[in-house]
Amino acid sequence: MHSLTKTFLYCVLIASVALSMNVTGVLASEDGGNIVFNQMLKCLKLPADAPRDYSFLIVAVIKDGSADFLSVNFRTPPSEWEKTSAPLIADAITQCEPYSSISGRKEFAVTRELIEAGSKN
């Protein structure tokens, strides 16, 4: 295994923690999550043939303008498309650094509706 400059953790939390989280509360959480989400959209390239419904819960810890820790969680057992898309979402978050105006733990959801709305802006 080669050495990485940043530590990233791609988790699949199908059971208790992810299922108990309220995504609508996360959507409206803090502006920092919106900043990371909107910046991520600039670099995000998802595979074609997305399912009608998907939902990723992203937890990012921003430190010194970079994603110091990143977790992509599923609310339900992931489809093959979701398994393929999760690392692409994580990569987009790190490729669109720096996040100079925010720091700390940021949580937000990535859904089809949000991606489509964000890509129209």
Side-chain angles (χ1 to χ4, degrees):
M1 180 176 237
H2 63 315
S3 175
L4 297 174
T5 57
K6 297 176 186 174
T7 303
F8 298 103
L9 178 61
Y10 302 106
C11 315
V12 178
L13 297 178
I14 296 172
S16 60
V17 175
L19 292 175
S20 66
M21 291 186 163
N22 181 346
V23 171
T24 54
V26 171
L27 293 176
S29 69
E30 53 189 293
D31 289 340
N34 291 336
I35 291 169
V36 175
F37 177 82
N38 290 331
Q39 201 158 323
M40 170 203 71
L41 282 178
K42 297 174 188 175
C43 299
L44 185 61
K45 304 265 187 295
L46 292 175
D49 301 327
R52 283 186 42 199
D53 294 314
Y54 58 86
S55 180
F56 300 93
L57 178 64
I58 308 298
V59 178
V61 176
I62 308 299
K63 181 178 176 184
D64 298 326
S66 299
D68 191 51
F69 171 83
L70 184 60
S71 175
V72 179
N73 307 296
F74 302 101
R75 292 180 48 82
T76 59
S79 67
E80 287 304 312
W81 184 90
E82 290 170 311
K83 289 177 187 176
T84 302
S85 298
L88 299 174
I89 291 169
D91 289 345
I93 291 170
T94 60
Q95 290 168 4
C96 282
E97 295 173 347
Y99 300 101
S100 54
S101 64
I102 61 171
S103 65
R105 181 186 168 109
K106 308 301 174 197
E107 294 182 5
F108 59 93
V110 174
T111 65
R112 183 180 194 118
E113 294 80 16
L114 290 174
I115 294 292
E116 289 174 354
S119 63
K120 291 177 185 175
N121 292 335

